[in-house]
Amino acid sequence: KHGQSALFADGFDPKSFAVQMEFVQSNPQQADRIGNKGKLVGRSQFHYTNVEKRLMGFLEKVATNGH
Protein backbone atom coordinates (compact mmCIF):
# COMPACT_ATOMS: atom_id res chain seq x y z
CA LYS A 1 0.00 0.00 0.00
CA HIS A 2 1.13 3.50 -0.77
CA GLY A 3 2.91 5.03 2.18
CA GLN A 4 3.08 1.74 4.08
CA SER A 5 5.24 -0.60 1.99
CA ALA A 6 5.80 1.46 -1.16
CA LEU A 7 5.55 4.91 -2.67
CA PHE A 8 3.72 5.27 -5.96
CA ALA A 9 3.85 8.00 -8.56
CA ASP A 10 1.01 8.63 -11.01
CA GLY A 11 1.92 6.70 -14.13
CA PHE A 12 4.89 8.19 -15.91
CA ASP A 13 4.31 11.73 -14.63
CA PRO A 14 7.71 13.24 -13.79
CA LYS A 15 6.18 15.71 -11.34
CA SER A 16 4.46 12.94 -9.41
CA PHE A 17 7.72 10.99 -9.31
CA ALA A 18 9.54 14.10 -8.07
CA VAL A 19 7.01 14.54 -5.26
CA GLN A 20 7.75 11.01 -4.04
CA MET A 21 11.50 11.54 -4.24
CA GLU A 22 11.15 14.79 -2.29
CA PHE A 23 9.20 12.87 0.35
CA VAL A 24 12.07 10.38 0.64
CA GLN A 25 14.62 13.17 1.00
CA SER A 26 12.54 15.04 3.57
CA ASN A 27 11.53 11.98 5.60
CA PRO A 28 14.48 9.56 5.65
CA GLN A 29 13.35 7.61 8.73
CA GLN A 30 9.83 7.12 7.41
CA ALA A 31 11.24 6.25 3.97
CA ASP A 32 13.44 3.60 5.63
CA ARG A 33 10.41 2.09 7.40
CA ILE A 34 8.45 2.04 4.14
CA GLY A 35 11.39 0.48 2.33
CA ASN A 36 11.86 -2.21 4.98
CA LYS A 37 8.17 -3.11 4.87
CA GLY A 38 8.33 -3.17 1.08
CA LYS A 39 11.25 -5.57 1.23
CA LEU A 40 9.22 -7.92 3.44
CA VAL A 41 6.24 -7.73 1.10
CA GLY A 42 8.47 -8.40 -1.89
CA ARG A 43 10.06 -11.42 -0.26
CA SER A 44 6.75 -12.89 0.85
CA GLN A 45 4.96 -12.31 -2.46
CA PHE A 46 7.67 -12.68 -5.07
CA HIS A 47 10.37 -14.94 -3.61
CA TYR A 48 10.95 -17.79 -6.04
CA THR A 49 9.84 -20.44 -3.53
CA ASN A 50 6.46 -18.75 -3.09
CA VAL A 51 6.01 -18.15 -6.80
CA GLU A 52 6.99 -21.76 -7.49
CA LYS A 53 4.28 -23.07 -5.14
CA ARG A 54 1.58 -20.95 -6.78
CA LEU A 55 2.76 -21.84 -10.27
CA MET A 56 2.91 -25.56 -9.51
CA GLY A 57 -0.60 -25.43 -8.02
CA PHE A 58 -1.88 -23.70 -11.13
CA LEU A 59 -0.16 -26.17 -13.47
CA GLU A 60 -1.52 -29.13 -11.50
CA LYS A 61 -5.06 -27.75 -11.85
CA VAL A 62 -4.55 -27.27 -15.58
CA ALA A 63 -3.19 -30.80 -15.94
CA THR A 64 -6.03 -32.42 -13.98
CA ASN A 65 -8.80 -30.40 -15.64
CA GLY A 66 -7.44 -30.81 -19.15
CA HIS A 67 -7.46 -27.07 -19.91
Side-chain angles (χ1 to χ4, degrees), residues 37-47 50:
K37 286 182 183 179
K39 183 194 256 184
L40 293 174
V41 169
R43 283 186 177 161
S44 70
Q45 297 295 314
F46 304 110
H47 190 272
N50 295 326

Side-chain angles (χ1 to χ4, degrees), residues 21-56:
M21 291 296 95
E22 288 171 358
F23 173 84
V24 169
Q25 282 186 315
S26 300
N27 303 281
Q29 291 178 336
Q30 191 172 359
D32 280 344
R33 283 193 298 275
I34 293 168
N36 288 331
K37 286 182 183 179
K39 183 194 256 184
L40 293 174
V41 169
R43 283 186 177 161
S44 70
Q45 297 295 314
F46 304 110
H47 190 272
Y48 74 92
T49 57
N50 295 326
V51 173
E52 174 193 23
K53 291 174 189 175
R54 292 192 306 259
L55 179 59
M56 289 304 295

